[in-house]
Amino acid sequence: MKQMHHWRLLVVLICLSANALWAQESDDVKVGLVLSGGGAKAFAHIGVLKEIEAAGLRIDYIGGTSMGAVIGGLYAAGYTADQLDSLFKTFDFNAILTDELPRKTRSIAEKAESDRYAVTFPFDGKKLTLPIGLSKGHNAYNILSKLLLPVRDISDFNALPISFLCIATDAEKGTQVLLDKGYLPRALTASSALPTIVQPILIDGVLHIDGGVVNNYPIDEIRAKGADVVIGVDVQDQLMSQEQLKSVVDVVSQINNFRTIEHMGSKIDQTDIYIRPEINQFGVLSFKDPSAVINLGAQAARDQRQLFEELARRQKPYKPRVGISHQQVAEPLQISAVRIEGHQGYTRSYIMGKLGIRSTATLTADELQSGINNLAATNNFRSIDYYFEPAQDQAQPGQILRLKLTENPQRSLLRVGLHYDPLYRMGVLLNATQKRLFGVNDQASIDVVIGDYLRYRANYFVDKGYHWSVRLTANFVQFSHAVGRNFTDAESEFETPIDLNQIDITYKHWQNQFNLLTRLNQDMEFSLGLNHQRVHYFSETLGLDQEGLLRTVFEDNHYVSGLAQVEIDTRDHGYYPRKGGLLRATVEQYLYNGSEPGTHFTRAQINTVYSWSLAPKLYAQSALKAGASFGDQSPEGLDFFMGGYGYQDTGYFVPFFGQDVMALRGNSFLLAQINTTLELTAKSRLLARAQVGEIRHDLYKGLQWSQVLEQSSFAVGYALETFLGPLELWRGYASGLSGGRWQMSLGFRF
């Protein structure tokens, strides 16, 4: 191989010398560059481009396939090799390949859903469906769209700073598609849509997959452009042995390579300067170490420096490129109109509400992408294409934002979760969700928890974007738990000849709610509603009820209230946030009390959380929770309960380390908390929590702050994130109790 390289070098030098006089008399030598596909191995192209720039060689044409197209397209648009080096080292390729979206892109309800279910099965009609690719290519498209905003008005790739083309494959016919016109970011994602990894990309009614399937080295197309000399960089895999075929990715890659490797012999012969970096130790998905691959590409190109410099001397002098600046990318976009296609199942107001655009707008690329991500996070669309056109009215400045949406045909979902905690114990969550059940924008779902205690939650939601949306919910929870003999107030004490330390309580709570809500953005929601509750709890440990049954009924009553709530959630993680905060404030005016119809009282609750970084891998979180009743004496059935950990915080039950579930109660409470989290690995953490507060009846009447410190606790724990949700083990210590208490929970909370 080394000897062949020397012969090729000698032949090219002789040809260049023989044509020296002709080249001096002609315009200049036109150089074409061919960049093959190869996944992460294509980082080597950046190293080659560095050496080409260092030699002062001008590239006139670029043709690429797959990742070679991505790198070649960015370079053709104006980025320098050094800029590409810096950019590709900052990308989170795991997030790109999995289409992982930040939590902030979801609405309040969508954030709650993402923190509840472990597994989701999509259905198309009655059939379980699987995605046609692990990724929709959404994040890759977003990144390329942002980086290529300075050339968004160029639809003919010949008009780019360097003439460019790329290759894709028609997924239906298996034929080559040459892309040299259109919207550049979409062409690049089509060329690099690796089968089984990225779903096919729809352009003008044609489904496109990775161009490497049919032509991974487009030298003929670059020759046809008019290149006098062609430089080719080959980073594609060689055929693997039986021992090397260890995964489905290896097999798919092997299949893709059969045809391309067969045709590479003749293509190498047509290449004037052929470069093949020594990168066999890397695979198509080796995205963790771009620097090593880039350096190997530069090392291989350095052997061709003499040829590069000889070619450069036979070109007209030109001004070296300065690249695309951050200011060019960050320049605000002036949107004069938004045109939307393909949204039969969702209204324009719904889509515009997700985008955060009303009609005309001036926004940055990041703000636009945030809106696009909000729309993508709904999972209601298989693809979201967006591009820009000049405004039709010359008197109206700005551009038209065009959106081409392909709705997701999978309107039915079956979701599953599993959880254990000391209050509800073991439960399996089954969820059925149907989108567009009765009309556009609506979603109906029901959660049923099967386990130690049957529970359910039904929800119907009509999302109207910026307009007032409608939500109906019906919720039922129940459990049985042993509580202290002092569980009831003195007013409810009953006489018994038996000296009991604990009694068993069965608690049932029904809640039906109607809400009108509006969102200022994805993180903030304001709602007004009407709330009906039935609270029923009793003990079968002792006593007889009116029907002669062995039980004592403490509460069986209906309540109706009007409520207002504001919720803001900017946390980057639902369980272990590194930054951001939570504010949830609710005020309820009770209009009806079944046992005392003439009484009226107000209940208010607030929950605030804020997280920040103390050091690398070390985070802190402060929290303040409070609740109180005002006006007429509130009934015992609506008391707050404090104690335990690991269950879902419903507003009535407040976690408190070291104490047993429902150990403390009252109609008002105040709780302050400080948390610290140390990340051991990406999925495991050491935790510490300190709490101080008080709960009792009429806490805020004549409040003395020294009394607030009467209840305190401290706990240390370990958390491991599993596919079912967090597994947590705690050791908690509470004031007034001897020794500590172990508390464990598993899974997403519901």
Side-chain angles (χ1 to χ4, degrees):
M1 187 69 182
K2 197 74 173 177
Q3 187 177 10
M4 184 181 298
H5 164 74
H6 288 311
W7 275 107
R8 186 177 300 280
L9 178 64
L10 178 60
V11 170
V12 173
L13 283 173
I14 291 173
C15 291
L16 288 173
S17 299
N19 291 318
L21 291 176
W22 174 84
Q24 289 172 354
E25 293 174 357
S26 64
D27 291 336
D28 62 350
V29 175
K30 301 294 185 181
V31 178
L33 178 65
V34 177
L35 303 178
S36 81
K41 300 167 76 168
F43 293 147
H45 295 323
I46 299 174
V48 174
L49 288 169
K50 283 186 170 186
E51 291 300 311
I52 287 175
E53 286 186 351
L57 178 60
R58 187 193 73 234
I59 300 298
D60 300 284
Y61 313 103
I62 297 179
T65 299
S66 195
M67 273 296 288
V70 172
I71 293 171
L74 290 169
Y75 192 76
Y79 284 94
T80 67
D82 283 339
Q83 286 179 321
L84 294 179
D85 187 331
S86 300
L87 284 172
F88 277 81
K89 289 176 182 176
T90 62
F91 293 155
D92 182 350
F93 286 97
N94 182 63
I96 292 173
L97 289 174
T98 60
D99 268 344
E100 178 183 332
L101 292 171
R103 190 173 186 270
K104 66 180 180 181
T105 63
R106 299 180 175 91
S107 67
I108 299 293
E110 290 164 349
K111 288 171 183 174
E113 288 182 354
S114 67
D115 295 338
R116 186 181 301 132
Y117 306 113
V119 183
T120 298
F121 301 98
F123 284 82
D124 186 357
K126 297 181 179 180
K127 297 171 59 178
L128 176 66
T129 61
L130 295 175
I132 55 178
L134 297 178
S135 167
K136 297 177 183 178
H138 172 80
N139 282 349
Y141 185 48
N142 255 355
I143 291 171
L144 291 171
S145 294
K146 178 180 178 180
L147 293 176
L148 294 169
L149 279 174
V151 296
R152 63 185 178 273
D153 295 329
I154 299 177
S155 58
D156 184 348
F157 301 166
N158 290 314
L160 293 169
I162 299 176
S163 178
F164 175 75
L165 63 85
C166 61
I167 304 298
T169 303
D170 185 323
E172 184 179 4
K173 300 178 181 178
T175 56
Q176 173 176 304
V177 180
L178 190 149
L179 300 172
D180 59 0
K181 291 181 175 61
Y183 190 53
L184 183 57
R186 181 46 82 208
L188 300 183
T189 53
S191 179
S192 56
L194 185 65
T196 72
I197 303 298
V198 181
Q199 73 176 27
I201 304 299
L202 184 67
I203 304 177
D204 297 330
V206 178
L207 277 178
H208 297 76
I209 59 175
D210 194 296
V213 174
V214 292
N215 185 357
N216 206 30
Y217 192 84
I219 186 170
D220 292 334
E221 291 73 14
I222 287 299
R223 284 286 187 197
K225 285 279 188 181
D228 300 314
V229 175
V230 175
I231 301 171
V233 187
D234 181 8
V235 297
Q236 57 194 318
D237 285 332
Q238 298 298 307
L239 293 180
M240 290 178 277
S241 66
Q242 184 178 13
E243 293 74 19
Q244 293 173 309
L245 293 170
K246 298 179 179 179
S247 69
V248 65
V249 175
D250 293 336
V251 174
V252 171
S253 179
Q254 184 90 327
I255 295 171
N256 288 339
N257 288 335
F258 285 150
R259 190 193 305 188
T260 56
I261 292 176
E262 180 183 351
H263 292 99
M264 270 309 293
S266 61
K267 292 187 175 187
I268 293 173
D269 292 338
Q270 299 175 54
T271 307
D272 299 304
I273 303 176
Y274 176 73
I275 301 172
R276 180 168 180 82
E278 296 294 332
I279 50 175
N280 291 332
Q281 67 270 37
F282 297 97
V284 294
L285 298 179
S286 300
F287 290 104
K288 292 185 178 180
D289 194 5
S291 295
V293 185
I294 291 171
N295 291 337
L296 288 172
Q299 180 180 324
R302 211 167 288 132
D303 295 337
Q304 313 294 337
R305 174 66 75 88
Q306 185 178 352
L307 285 176
F308 292 165
E309 292 175 346
E310 183 68 24
L311 279 173
R313 284 193 289 270
R314 285 159 173 74
Q315 292 181 321
K316 286 183 178 180
Y318 74 102
K319 185 178 180 180
R321 57 175 50 202
V322 295
I324 295 177
S325 67
H326 174 74
Q327 288 74 18
Q328 290 175 277
V329 174
E331 184 179 348
L333 300 164
Q334 192 167 0
I335 307 299
S336 60
V338 180
R339 303 281 186 264
I340 307 173
E341 302 175 34
H343 60 297
Q344 292 85 2
Y346 298 91
T347 62
R348 177 181 173 86
S349 62
Y350 170 84
I351 295 167
M352 297 293 281
K354 292 294 183 181
L355 291 175
I357 302 175
R358 295 190 181 272
S359 55
T360 61
T362 299
L363 66 167
T364 65
D366 287 337
E367 290 170 336
L368 173 61
Q369 289 195 352
S370 177
I372 296 293
N373 284 340
N374 295 343
L375 194 59
T378 65
N379 203 34
N380 292 330
F381 302 94
R382 174 175 287 179
S383 66
I384 304 172
D385 282 352
Y386 60 98
Y387 56 96
F388 303 90
E389 289 180 352
Q392 297 171 348
D393 185 356
Q394 298 299 324
Q396 186 177 16
Q399 292 183 306
I400 298 173
L401 173 62
R402 299 293 301 265
L403 272 81
K404 289 187 176 181
L405 307 176
T406 303
E407 293 183 357
N408 196 336
Q410 300 163 350
R411 295 164 52 182
S412 303
L413 303 173
L414 175 63
R415 297 184 279 198
V416 181
L418 184 144
H419 182 76
Y420 169 81
D421 65 61
L423 179 59
Y424 297 110
R425 301 180 189 170
M426 183 63 73
V428 175
L429 173 63
L430 301 177
N431 167 269
T433 297
Q434 179 66 45
K435 299 183 179 183
R436 305 194 333 250
L437 178 63
F438 298 118
V440 296
N441 300 1
D442 73 344
Q443 176 175 303
S445 68
I446 183 167
D447 290 333
V448 177
V449 180
I450 301 172
D452 288 289
Y453 306 109
L454 179 68
R455 295 178 279 147
Y456 69 78
R457 180 179 185 273
N459 179 76
Y460 179 72
F461 181 46
V462 182
D463 192 338
K464 296 187 176 181
Y466 279 123
H467 305 292
W468 285 91
S469 302
V470 178
R471 177 180 290 140
L472 300 171
T473 58
N475 191 50
F476 170 69
V477 298
Q478 65 173 333
F479 59 85
S480 296
H481 196 74
V483 298
R485 179 63 177 80
N486 60 350
F487 174 76
T488 61
D489 286 347
E491 297 177 330
S492 303
E493 289 291 345
F494 47 83
E495 299 296 331
T496 174
I498 305 174
D499 186 15
L500 297 173
N501 291 323
Q502 287 188 323
I503 57 175
D504 291 326
I505 291 292
T506 297
Y507 180 93
K508 298 182 179 182
H509 185 192
W510 293 262
Q511 185 175 41
N512 305 296
Q513 198 169 108
F514 168 80
N515 288 95
L516 294 174
L517 59 93
T518 185
R519 291 192 297 267
L520 298 181
N521 52 49
Q522 292 294 90
D523 297 327
M524 183 175 181
E525 183 177 281
F526 174 73
S527 63
L528 298 171
L530 195 64
N531 187 28
H532 163 260
Q533 299 178 76
R534 180 192 174 194
V535 181
H536 182 204
Y537 60 90
F538 57 88
S539 174
E540 296 180 336
T541 303
L542 70 174
L544 294 174
D545 66 5
Q546 295 178 348
E547 299 176 359
L549 298 177
L550 180 62
R551 64 179 183 178
T552 298
V553 178
F554 298 108
E555 177 78 14
D556 188 3
N557 200 8
H558 292 264
Y559 305 93
V560 177
S561 62
L563 64 88
Q565 179 174 285
V566 61
E567 183 167 358
I568 304 172
D569 188 353
T570 62
R571 296 171 298 172
D572 62 346
H573 195 287
Y575 290 89
Y576 311 108
R578 299 173 178 175
K579 60 181 179 180
L582 170 70
L583 169 64
R584 185 185 298 119
T586 306
V587 177
E588 283 189 86
Q589 176 62 48
Y590 280 81
L591 309 173
Y592 174 77
N593 178 349
S595 60
E596 299 181 50
T599 61
H600 301 282
F601 59 94
T602 303
R603 162 162 290 189
Q605 293 184 68
I606 188 169
N607 181 11
T608 64
V609 177
Y610 181 72
S611 303
W612 69 96
S613 175
L614 295 174
K617 306 295 184 180
L618 181 62
Y619 303 94
Q621 181 186 86
S622 60
L624 178 67
K625 299 180 181 181
S629 296
F630 307 96
D632 296 335
Q633 182 68 39
S634 63
E636 293 180 22
L638 296 178
D639 278 352
F640 299 103
F641 300 95
M642 187 180 286
Y645 179 78
Y647 51 84
Q648 185 180 23
D649 185 353
T650 62
Y652 291 94
F653 296 87
V654 183
F656 196 83
F657 289 103
Q659 292 279 7
D660 193 10
V661 175
M662 302 179 72
L664 308 170
R665 71 176 295 176
N667 68 2
S668 52
F669 76 96
L670 179 64
L671 177 66
Q673 180 174 306
I674 187 75
N675 311 331
T676 57
T677 302
L678 176 63
E679 292 185 353
L680 302 177
T681 67
K683 298 294 184 181
S684 63
R685 296 164 175 83
L686 287 179
L687 311 169
R689 306 287 189 265
Q691 297 172 296
V692 62
E694 183 59 270
I695 181 170
R696 63 170 183 265
H697 281 75
D698 302 324
L699 172 65
Y700 294 96
K701 290 183 178 180
L703 176 66
Q704 296 182 12
W705 290 104
S706 60
Q707 296 175 340
V708 175
L709 304 178
E710 289 184 0
Q711 298 290 340
S712 61
S713 72
F714 176 77
V716 292
Y718 172 79
L720 177 66
E721 287 190 76
T722 72
F723 80 96
L724 293 173
L727 168 63
E728 296 185 2
L729 182 64
W730 291 89
R731 180 70 172 176
Y733 302 85
S735 58
L737 298 178
S738 60
R741 179 184 296 272
W742 287 102
Q743 292 168 316
M744 190 270 282
S745 67
L746 169 66
F748 296 115
R749 294 170 197 161
F750 48 77

